[in-house]
Amino acid sequence: LHASASPSGALDKLRTVMQGERATSIDSAIERRFRLRGAPIIHDTIDNETIAINQLTGAYYSLEGPAALVWLLLADGATAGEVGAELALRYTSDDPLQPAVQAFLDELLAEELVVVADAPADTRATASPGLPDPPPERPRFPGLRLQRYTDLEVMLLADPIHEVDETGWPMPLTDQQR
Amino acid sequence: VTPAELVDAARASFAEARRRAGGEEIEGHLAGRPVRLSFAGDHFARLLGRALAVTPGRGGDRPATEMALALHAWDAASTGVRLASGSWAGWTLTPSSVVAELSDERYQVSLEVRGALASILDRVTGDAYHYVPDPTLLPAWEGTHPARMLLAAWARAQGLVTCHAAAVADGDAGVLLCGASGAGKSTTALAALAAGMRSAGDDYVLVEPGDPPRAHALYTSTLLEVGHYERNRRLMPVLDHVADQLDRHKAVMYARGEGAPNLDGGFPLVALVALRVERGSTPRFAPSSAAAVLRALAPSTLAQLGMVDAAGLARLADLCRRLPAYELVLGDDPAPVPDLLRALIAEGGGLRLAATR
């Protein structure tokens, strides 16, 4: 797919824009490569929305639109810079996209949905199955949003198979029990 | 001990329990597959015989090899025979209560409720054993939805998808109703039943993938918060009511007996419906998406059954891709809901308000 070719040009352009002492650290940041965490995180993407579930905590997540695209790119082994460049191909924005990408990746890391990959920077897959084609006209960048749902956490942590109240029904843990 | 040795031990223990305490058998179909339930003692005959949606079939001497599931259930308290499994100490329990060292592609051995319930499934032969030392130690959900981990594993081996969902039908087609506990599955299903529709369950439903997917009943039991039961008492005549549960949090009913809803055969699904309660609203459909239905379906199925892994999620996602998706906003009064569902089913899942795929 186009993703492995065209982002590099955009990356060069990005680097050209970056001047001075910040360039090294930014280069380092944009070359960070991530991978999806794997178990206990399971995920699927439908209709431009990714659902990810943490099997241990019961927390589940929704990533829509560009956020789902970021997820697919990370699954393909993209670096932070390649993610930003891919988004730039698909969205217009008055502001640089890379800071939003970095913040979003940090959020994914904090939620332990992705991990920093050890692999060298040239190991990205050559194709990105599942990536939708870019739209003919680029819409405005709506931002990257990770929606976290916790409504099932209490029941899962209660472990309905094991934890029941005196009448036998599954019960959430109390604050004291936690 | 190996899984095969454990199956042998369970077979011998069950035979001894049967010899000592006697027991009965139920033969019929579950999700269209031939099954035989064999009991030693009367505890599980009462429990599984009432709660499992087995459509009675012909009795007789069909060979075990013809059975997709041959479930043997007994308890030690009434039969005096324990499962001769040796010590369970030291084995590793997964979050889904599966004994890791004794489970593989062929066998699933699980130990639930802190050891108060053991189940063994041989996916190749369909042989299954369900054993409890003392039924009084079992929690209430084992009475209303017995052996659900074992049956979910069996269903998966059969290519079925177990969903934490309700399913209702009108005529020859139906819809799957998705949502976590409290989303309105039971109330909606009961309202549909009271209006003359059919149901394949209000909490757990088996779905046969295909084009179209088909919903099958797994249990006959219906649970309602006691408050809901009181408010919806008029919906209840189609169900046998177990009065002794009323002092607990939930009323438990079983679809058995005269006028009980038709649970056999299953029905094709034409749409997926995510439920949402909105107080003060008039019930209505709203556009939704496959992803939104997956969000309503997958996490709660995981929380209930603890066995949605990546492959299980992919199966649920595939189901969501196959059918139009809607949101049904539920108000305070469930009375208009059956007509809404009927209209959706009559249109083959193609309401104009723009379901998205």
Side-chain angles (χ1 to χ4, degrees):
Chain A
L1 209 71
H2 60 273
S4 58
S6 45
S8 60
L11 270 182
D12 291 342
K13 190 175 175 184
L14 181 66
R15 289 196 180 93
T16 304
V17 171
M18 298 170 177
Q19 301 291 331
E21 295 180 356
R22 291 179 58 227
T24 302
S25 61
I26 291 174
D27 263 2
S28 169
I30 64 176
E31 286 172 3
R32 273 197 307 176
R33 192 177 298 281
F34 298 84
R35 63 177 171 81
L36 306 185
R37 182 182 169 192
I41 307 298
I42 57 177
H43 60 92
D44 211 302
T45 300
I46 307 180
D47 287 349
N48 213 19
E49 179 177 345
T50 296
I51 310 295
I53 305 173
N54 185 321
Q55 292 176 287
L56 294 182
T57 67
Y60 58 105
Y61 304 84
S62 165
L63 299 80
E64 290 190 63
L69 182 67
V70 171
W71 186 269
L72 293 173
L73 287 163
L74 296 179
D76 187 49
T79 63
E82 288 166 341
V83 169
E86 184 70 36
L87 289 176
L89 288 174
R90 294 162 181 268
Y91 296 94
T92 63
S93 174
D94 296 333
D95 302 315
L97 295 180
Q98 203 60 39
V101 170
Q102 299 293 355
F104 186 64
L105 294 176
D106 287 341
E107 193 177 0
L108 295 178
L109 276 172
E111 292 290 336
E112 299 185 294
L113 295 170
V114 302
V115 295
V116 177
D118 298 328
D122 60 352
T123 58
R124 180 160 180 216
T126 53
S128 305
L131 280 187
D133 291 332
E137 290 190 19
R138 293 183 300 163
R140 286 197 65 78
F141 179 62
L144 297 169
R145 186 157 170 259
L146 177 67
Q147 178 70 47
R148 184 176 196 264
Y149 298 88
T150 59
D151 52 310
L152 289 174
E153 274 188 345
V154 284
M155 289 309 293
L156 195 65
L157 290 173
D159 189 354
I161 307 305
H162 297 291
E163 303 296 340
V164 294
D165 69 5
E166 69 279 3
T167 65
W169 294 106
M171 288 290 288
L173 297 180
T174 64
D175 288 339
Q176 286 178 333
Q177 287 172 313
R178 289 194 193 97
Chain B
V1 64
T2 66
E5 289 170 343
L6 188 59
V7 168
D8 288 342
R11 185 181 297 118
S13 297
F14 177 80
E16 176 61 15
R18 184 69 172 265
R19 191 187 64 78
R20 288 195 200 178
E24 60 182 88
E25 297 201 344
I26 296 174
E27 193 168 302
H29 289 82
L30 185 62
R33 285 135 173 98
V35 300
R36 179 182 291 145
L37 313 179
S38 303
F39 307 110
D42 63 359
H43 171 72
F44 278 116
R46 208 168 50 241
L47 193 69
L48 285 160
R50 183 173 61 184
L52 271 189
V54 172
T55 308
R58 68 179 176 85
D61 300 317
R62 294 175 72 172
T65 51
E66 285 187 15
M67 294 295 156
L69 174 68
L71 175 60
H72 308 77
W74 83 103
D75 69 286
S78 70
T79 67
V81 180
R82 304 182 67 84
L83 171 60
S85 60
S87 170
W88 295 76
W91 286 339
T92 308
L93 274 187
T94 71
S96 301
S97 300
V98 170
V99 181
E101 293 85 350
L102 291 174
S103 300
D104 53 27
E105 285 188 2
R106 175 166 179 172
Y107 298 99
Q108 175 173 296
V109 177
S110 58
L111 194 59
E112 301 170 52
V113 205
R114 299 192 182 93
L117 191 161
S119 60
I120 305 161
L121 171 66
D122 181 341
R123 296 181 178 93
V124 171
T125 64
D127 249 355
Y129 297 88
H130 196 59
Y131 163 76
V132 299
D134 182 354
T136 63
L137 298 178
L138 291 178
W141 48 257
E142 181 60 19
T144 57
H145 300 109
R148 61 180 176 175
M149 302 295 282
L150 186 157
L151 292 168
W154 170 78
R156 183 165 173 166
Q158 291 287 314
L160 298 160
V161 182
T162 307
C163 297
H164 182 222
V168 297
D170 191 40
D172 293 332
V175 295
L176 196 70
L177 306 172
C178 310
S181 300
K185 295 189 298 296
S186 294
T187 303
T188 303
L190 285 170
L193 283 173
M197 298 172 69
R198 301 160 59 200
S199 171
D202 71 335
D203 224 1
Y204 302 99
V205 172
L206 298 174
V207 175
E208 182 110 53
D211 190 16
R214 293 181 70 85
H216 294 278
L218 176 58
Y219 294 111
T220 67
S221 46
T222 287
L223 304 182
L224 278 183
E225 297 290 344
V226 168
H228 286 194
Y229 169 78
E230 296 297 345
R231 285 194 295 276
N232 297 287
R233 190 180 282 268
R234 67 188 173 79
L235 306 179
M236 303 304 159
V238 292
L239 302 170
D240 286 346
H241 170 230
V242 181
D244 64 2
Q245 298 281 331
L246 268 182
D247 59 341
R248 300 188 176 187
H249 294 172
K250 297 214 176 187
V252 183
M253 291 143 284
Y254 298 91
R256 290 288 191 206
E258 189 78 18
N262 183 359
L263 288 164
D264 62 333
F267 45 79
L269 294 167
V270 298
L272 305 174
V273 178
L275 301 175
R276 179 167 63 86
V277 175
E278 188 177 277
R279 296 291 177 207
S281 290
T282 301
R284 66 185 185 282
F285 279 114
S288 187
S289 68
V293 173
L294 183 63
R295 247 188 282 128
L297 183 60
S300 66
T301 299
L302 165 69
Q304 292 290 317
L305 295 169
M307 58 177 298
V308 175
D309 55 12
L313 180 63
R315 274 190 282 273
L316 291 172
D318 184 60
L319 174 65
C320 293
R321 286 186 185 96
R322 284 174 180 272
L323 294 170
Y326 297 87
E327 181 181 65
L328 177 55
V329 180
L330 300 169
D332 299 322
D333 181 9
V337 169
D339 282 345
L340 287 172
L341 293 170
R342 278 194 163 113
L344 174 61
I345 294 167
E347 293 297 327
L351 281 187
R352 244 183 228 181
L353 53 90
T356 55
R357 295 181 75 114

